[in-house]
């Protein structure tokens, strides 16, 4: 039954997400990170090669060394489709022995870890540090699971690259932190320079990494990070939009019950979109999962939200499911008995209550 409830909740969240109006973005800059990371591409690859410009065509890449796979597998793969761009040509002119890492394998995997398609992807221009990173990922990553972000060993591995001077390696680590479950990231007690994280938020073109930077800022214990979070999360609650969930969680880390109260007020004022409401409820769920001392106050916010908007049970039930807590059962029972509760919400509540009381 628990598995059924989880599937129903996920379907409900997806459905509401498609139907709800979405805020427009301020610019055309990419603001999302891929779900399939560089580490996943390396671990799921069929063939990995070092490539260089062809002697016959300086704009075409050709394999010069196979790092993974066999010569037969390489022969069966299509030609590398990428052109040698101007910056890469300049690197090869400076050092003809430079190489580019190319990966042939799945760009997506299903829930069992099986690849859904195969294609070439360009990873990076190889340096000694990146070559060592590749070796470490291939060695350490055998136990991680492709596409899975909840491995503590995996997350801990990437924490060592969060302040790396090589942007490629650092960005790879930020993506892993972004995908990882918040309780694990928090438990690891990751320390990152506040100045480095703030620079990420100030730099145009790095909007996609803002959620990871904000998440990490909220977990820093120094006064500079705390004051910066306090100066930002309150305004984010008023404006909504991008990274609202992360700012709300960071605010709770910095201000505790005061931030929970502000989030509750923001929800009650119903100022934003359905996406904003969902983000704030998920932020409260994140905080309640890792800080039980706030759970009673968060539960009161959820009760008030359910009273004002019974349809929000789609998201709040997910929070209760994560907590494995029956605090809101009496509220759910009242909603179930009300004629004003939407049928879809009644269905979710009924499943939740049956899970809590299987007898």
């Amino acid at each position: 039954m628990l598995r059924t409830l989880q599937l129903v909740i996920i379907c409900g969240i997806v459905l509401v997400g498609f139907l709800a109006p979405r805020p427009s973005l301020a610019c055309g800059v990419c603001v999302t990170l891929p779900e399939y990371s560089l580490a996943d591409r390396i671990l799921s690859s069929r063939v990995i090669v070092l490539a260089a410009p062809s002697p016959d065509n300086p704009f075409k890449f050709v394999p010069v060394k196979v790092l993974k796979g066999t010569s037969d597998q390489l022969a069966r793969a299509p030609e590398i489709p990428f052109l040698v761009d101007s910056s890469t040509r300049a690197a090869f002119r400076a050092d003809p022995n430079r190489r580019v890492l190319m990966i042939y394998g799945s760009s997506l995997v299903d829930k069992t870890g099986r690849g859904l398609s195969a294609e070439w992807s360009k990873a990076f221009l190889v340096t000694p540090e990146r070559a060592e990173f590749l070796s470490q990922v291939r060695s350490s990553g055998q136990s991680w699971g492709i596409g899975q972000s909840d491995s503590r060993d995996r997350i801990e591995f990437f924490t060592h690259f969060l302040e790396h001077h090589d942007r490629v390696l650092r960005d790879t680590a930020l993506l892993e932190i972004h995908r990882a479950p918040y309780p694990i990231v928090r438990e690891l007690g990751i320390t990152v320079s506040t100045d480095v994280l703030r620079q990420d938020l100030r730099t145009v073109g790095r909007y996609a990494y803002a959620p990871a930077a904000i998440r990490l800022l909220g977990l820093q214990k120094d006064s500079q990070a705390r004051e910066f979070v306090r100066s930002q999360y309150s305004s984010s609650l008023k404006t909504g939009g991008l990274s609202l969930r992360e700012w709300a969680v960071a605010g709770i880390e910095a201000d505790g019950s005061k931030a929970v109260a502000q989030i509750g007020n923001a929800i009650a004022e119903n100022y934003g979109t359905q996406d904003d409401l969902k983000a704030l409820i998920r932020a409260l769920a994140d905080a309640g999962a890792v800080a039980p001392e706030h759970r009673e106050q968060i539960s009161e916010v959820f009760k008030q939200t359910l009273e004002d908007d019974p349809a929000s049970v789609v998201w709040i039930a997910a929070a209760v499911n994560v907590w494995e807590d029956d605090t809101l059962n009496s509220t759910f029972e009242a909603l179930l008995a009300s004629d004003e509760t939407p049928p879809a919400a009644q269905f979710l509540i009924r499943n939740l209550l049956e899970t809590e009381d299987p007898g």
Side-chain angles (χ1 to χ4, degrees):
M1 181 60 71
L2 180 58
R3 176 65 175 168
T4 301
L5 173 62
Q6 291 171 330
L7 293 174
V8 170
I9 290 172
I10 291 170
C11 291
I13 291 172
V14 171
L15 178 61
V16 174
F18 276 115
L19 295 178
R22 295 180 181 275
S24 60
L25 301 181
C27 66
V29 177
C30 178
V31 293
T32 59
L33 290 172
E35 287 299 316
Y36 202 57
S37 70
L38 174 59
D40 290 325
R41 287 191 284 134
I42 291 170
L43 295 173
S44 66
S45 63
R46 302 179 189 178
V47 177
I48 300 177
V49 301
L50 297 179
S54 167
D56 302 322
N57 183 349
F59 297 97
K60 178 183 178 181
F61 280 110
V62 292
V64 296
K65 183 177 182 180
V66 178
L67 300 182
K68 179 181 178 182
T70 65
S71 56
D72 286 342
Q73 287 176 306
L74 178 59
R76 290 195 298 269
E79 291 188 348
I80 297 173
F82 309 109
L83 296 177
V84 182
D85 59 35
S86 58
S87 61
T88 306
R89 286 199 302 275
F92 279 107
R93 282 196 298 269
D95 181 359
N97 293 318
R98 296 293 297 273
R99 296 292 181 260
V100 174
L101 189 75
M102 297 287 185
I103 302 171
Y104 181 69
S106 300
S107 58
L108 293 170
V109 295
D110 62 19
K111 292 182 178 179
T112 67
R114 294 176 300 184
L116 302 179
S117 62
E119 60 185 9
W120 284 104
S121 62
K122 182 166 59 175
F124 46 66
L125 189 66
V126 177
T127 66
E129 289 177 320
R130 293 175 185 178
E132 178 62 23
F133 170 82
L134 171 66
S135 176
Q136 290 178 12
V137 168
R138 293 183 64 189
S139 174
S140 301
Q142 296 304 310
S143 62
W144 292 348
I146 299 167
Q148 297 179 7
S149 59
D150 58 355
S151 164
R152 182 187 174 94
D153 289 342
R154 176 177 186 148
I155 301 165
E156 191 167 18
F157 172 86
F158 284 100
T159 62
H160 300 294
F161 297 92
L162 285 170
E163 292 188 84
H164 203 284
H165 65 88
D166 186 325
R167 180 61 62 83
V168 170
L169 303 186
R170 183 165 180 270
D171 287 353
T172 299
L174 285 170
L175 170 56
E176 296 286 342
I177 294 297
H178 171 69
R179 299 193 319 162
Y182 186 68
I184 299 178
V185 175
R186 187 180 194 263
E187 186 179 289
L188 286 172
I190 302 168
T191 301
V192 186
S193 166
T194 297
D195 288 335
V196 169
L197 296 172
R198 290 182 63 179
Q199 184 62 41
D200 277 329
L201 299 179
R202 288 193 298 262
T203 303
V204 175
R206 292 190 60 75
Y207 297 114
Y209 297 96
I214 295 166
R215 170 181 274 198
L216 290 167
L217 272 170
L219 294 173
Q220 304 312 300
K221 304 302 183 184
D222 61 283
S223 59
Q224 183 187 9
R226 286 286 195 243
E227 289 306 313
F228 182 72
V229 168
R230 290 188 179 107
S231 71
Q232 297 296 314
Y233 85 87
S234 294
S235 60
S236 182
L237 292 178
K238 296 175 183 177
T239 59
L242 299 175
S243 301
L244 177 59
R245 177 184 181 183
E246 287 76 21
W247 278 123
V249 173
I252 295 173
E253 293 286 1
D255 268 353
S257 60
K258 178 182 176 182
V260 173
Q262 287 194 46
I263 295 168
N265 291 337
I267 292 174
E269 291 169 5
N270 194 27
Y271 68 91
T273 66
Q274 286 292 299
D275 282 344
D276 291 337
L277 173 61
K278 179 171 66 174
L280 292 179
I281 288 174
R282 293 173 73 183
L284 291 173
D286 291 339
V290 299
E293 66 270 21
H294 298 311
R295 196 171 294 179
E296 182 177 352
Q297 184 184 10
I298 292 171
S299 295
E300 291 302 316
V301 173
F302 283 163
K303 288 177 183 178
Q304 185 62 52
T305 305
L306 286 167
E307 183 177 327
D308 296 338
D309 180 13
S312 63
V313 69
V314 172
W315 303 312
I316 293 177
V320 174
N321 185 49
V322 171
W323 292 357
E324 298 183 351
D325 192 323
D326 62 359
T327 303
L328 295 177
N329 275 18
S330 60
T331 304
F332 287 142
E333 289 166 354
L335 284 170
L336 188 60
S338 172
D339 294 334
E340 298 181 2
T341 303
Q346 290 183 346
F347 179 73
L348 287 171
I349 293 169
R350 191 173 293 110
N351 274 277
L352 176 64
L353 296 176
E354 288 177 1
T355 303
E356 294 291 342
D357 184 15

